[in-house]
Amino acid sequence: MKIMTGRRPKLVLSPSRYTVPAPGVSAGDFEIYASYRGSPTSGFFGTLKVVRKTDGRLLFPFDGAETIGPYSKKDEAVNAASARGSEIVQADIRIPEM
């Protein structure tokens, strides 16, 4: 599993609309992009994008996904986003979302 912090998430497109979903079997089959947004006055919110590399499926964010924060420090927001990303990866390895 590769965790990237401080970078803007990249758009990942599925190779084909007709690709059969391929579940990830290890943490190396996922990309986690964790960062933050906000300010000291409004609080810092974690931003997160989790992509399964085997089929390009975006696992997070999804419609209705919870917000991560607010936190008083940037590092807290990024760490919370990274932890949530790791939870999503482990859950998808156990029970793949198709």
Side-chain angles (χ1 to χ4, degrees):
M1 165 176 41
K2 188 175 181 183
I3 298 177
M4 298 181 180
T5 60
R7 294 185 183 179
R8 294 184 63 111
K10 295 179 182 178
L11 179 63
V12 177
L13 301 174
S14 179
S16 170
R17 292 185 337 173
Y18 305 105
T19 306
V20 175
V25 294
S26 72
D29 292 336
F30 299 85
E31 290 283 346
I32 298 175
Y33 301 92
S35 190
Y36 71 92
R37 63 177 170 78
S39 68
T41 54
S42 64
F44 295 100
F45 292 84
T47 60
L48 177 63
K49 183 175 182 180
V50 179
V51 178
R52 186 170 49 208
K53 295 189 298 187
T54 55
D55 61 358
R57 184 174 182 108
L58 178 66
L59 300 177
F60 193 93
F62 50 85
D63 288 339
E66 72 279 0
T67 57
I68 304 170
Y71 294 93
S72 59
K73 296 181 180 178
K74 297 174 192 176
D75 293 340
E76 292 173 345
V78 173
N79 290 339
S82 295
R84 180 70 177 121
S86 296
E87 291 171 6
I88 291 169
V89 166
Q90 294 306 314
D92 194 67
I93 290 171
R94 281 193 307 275
I95 304 171
E97 179 180 321
M98 298 294 181

